[in-house]
Amino acid sequence: MTDGLNLRLLACPTAARLARTLITRRITQWGCTHRLDDVLLVASELITNASKAAPNSRIRLRLNHNSQGILISVWDPAPALPIAKPAAELTLEALDASPNTWDNGGGWGLPLVLALSSSCGHHPVPSGGKWVWASLDA
């Protein structure tokens, strides 16, 4: 396994943006730019979910690489496990475009993670919180 990336971040709206900058540098160093878009999307989704689960707390990101692929792991202190929204066809009629909720169409991140990763999951940590992870083939 090559040198990974291990970050402690504040769970806030800018955490994913900062992580994407550092992830891009590491993926480039590893020579895996062909997987960069997928890694950035998956990492962003996992970090955003952790930030929403435990706002203003400390979260952790681990990014590792070996000959089989790239592993993205995010820890947050919240006990609640992630729940994927059921996949459904999105139509214009199904969208809620009212002024109060026009930008509240989230919840599709985990289905994206499932679609882009070769495997993913989560496990609670006995001392508290949970790791949520996704593996992408090389």
Side-chain angles (χ1 to χ4, degrees), residues 77-102:
L81 297 177
I83 300 172
K85 212 180 218 186
E89 185 175 341
L90 195 57
T91 65
L92 289 175
E93 292 78 27
L95 293 176
D96 181 0
S98 67
N100 294 336
T101 59
W102 70 270

Side-chain angles (χ1 to χ4, degrees), residues 32-110:
C32 296
T33 55
H34 63 286
R35 295 306 319 241
L36 181 60
D37 291 339
D38 291 347
V39 170
L40 291 176
L41 181 56
V42 169
S44 292
E45 293 298 339
L46 296 182
I47 292 166
T48 298
N49 286 351
S51 294
K52 288 180 179 178
N56 299 316
S57 64
R58 295 287 175 189
I59 60 174
R60 294 176 62 189
L61 165 71
R62 288 184 181 162
L63 181 72
N64 293 298
H65 171 259
N66 63 23
S67 61
Q68 296 177 346
I70 298 168
L71 178 65
I72 305 158
S73 305
V74 176
W75 176 86
D76 71 67
L81 297 177
I83 300 172
K85 212 180 218 186
E89 185 175 341
L90 195 57
T91 65
L92 289 175
E93 292 78 27
L95 293 176
D96 181 0
S98 67
N100 294 336
T101 59
W102 70 270
D103 196 28
N104 193 19
W108 299 103
L110 288 177

